[in-house]
Amino acid sequence: MKLVSLICLAVLCLITSVLYAIFADKKGWQGFFIKGLAMFSISALSLVSVYFKGLTNAAGVFLSLAFVAFLFCEGASLIDDENKKWIATACSTVATGILLAGVIALNQFSILPLGGGLLFGIGLALVVWVFNNEKGALNNIFAIVQLALAGGIVGVAAISTISSLHFTTTLLVTVGAGLNLIGLFIKNLNLNSKAANIIANLMITVGLAVIASSTYFY
């Protein structure tokens, strides 16, 4: 019964993720509603997974907080003032940092994979900075930090698939983190392509949903 409930919630996340990918750039309350619904579904999936598994340690707390933080980020994205766009990026960066803390607590910690992942994320961020420097300085700084943190998640999760006793969980986190990192990279390139934005948004939301469901298999 628990697995059936989780599958139903995962299907809901997939549906709302597709809607998010298509309508994320829509202005007004309709766009906010769709984006909020997608992040709410992912937050619910995370909370239900943690609850079903009875995960009460730091990993469960940080992961649950991270997805709730991503939900609040959608509210910050409503800011239209170009000079304050960095607030939404800052919120997403904080949420990504909390997610990294949760993944570290969930897996075996090692400084080398974390450092390697951070450097890889910074490398992607520098590519973004070279090809898209139209945004404000603060927005660029937070975008670089967020990509670095997202890369750190990939590094920590990837190495854990080799040695962790929780292979399924670490594999799901690695896949989800990889999708999220690639999606963030494409989105920050600001390619002015609707297709690219849809792909990026879908990869980000599906990646987060995969990570959210991973704790059920811990």
Side-chain angles (χ1 to χ4, degrees):
M1 188 62 183
K2 289 182 178 180
L3 184 58
V4 173
S5 301
L6 190 74
I7 291 174
C8 291
L9 196 50
V11 170
L12 176 62
C13 284
L14 179 59
I15 294 172
T16 55
S17 292
V18 172
L19 293 174
Y20 182 106
I22 298 173
F23 300 107
D25 296 327
K26 188 176 181 63
K27 302 294 184 181
W29 68 269
Q30 298 98 329
F32 172 69
F33 175 77
I34 291 171
K35 292 189 290 184
L37 182 61
M39 287 303 169
F40 177 80
S41 300
I42 295 172
S43 300
L45 179 61
S46 175
L47 291 170
V48 168
S49 298
V50 169
Y51 174 75
F52 281 166
K53 203 60 186 178
L55 201 63
T56 57
N57 57 11
V61 173
F62 279 120
L63 288 174
S64 298
L65 283 175
F67 294 112
V68 173
F70 278 115
L71 174 59
F72 280 101
C73 288
E74 297 305 329
S77 68
L78 291 175
I79 299 174
D80 289 327
D81 189 343
E82 288 296 328
N83 294 324
K84 296 181 179 179
K85 286 290 186 181
W86 62 269
I87 296 177
T89 309
C91 290
S92 296
T93 302
V94 171
T96 305
I98 299 173
L99 185 60
L100 174 59
V103 172
I104 290 174
L106 193 65
N107 298 285
Q108 296 177 353
F109 175 73
S110 178
I111 189 65
L112 290 179
L114 175 61
L118 290 172
L119 289 175
F120 180 69
I122 291 173
L124 292 179
L126 291 177
V127 172
V128 169
W129 182 74
V130 169
F131 288 97
N132 177 32
N133 57 2
E134 297 178 1
K135 299 178 181 179
L138 279 175
N139 208 66
N140 281 327
I141 291 172
F142 283 118
I144 290 173
V145 175
Q146 184 180 17
L147 280 167
L149 294 173
I153 296 173
V154 174
V156 171
I159 199 64
S160 296
T161 58
I162 301 173
S163 57
S164 176
L165 298 175
H166 309 283
F167 176 77
T168 303
T169 297
T170 54
L171 179 62
L172 287 174
V173 173
T174 303
V175 171
L179 289 172
N180 181 57
L181 178 61
I182 297 171
L184 285 173
F185 175 68
I186 296 173
K187 191 169 185 177
N188 279 288
L189 280 175
N190 196 21
L191 298 174
N192 293 321
S193 167
K194 186 175 181 179
N197 285 333
I198 289 175
I199 292 171
N201 288 328
L202 186 61
M203 294 183 78
I204 291 171
T205 50
V206 170
L208 291 177
V210 171
I211 297 175
S213 66
S214 65
T215 52
Y216 179 81
F217 304 96
Y218 188 72

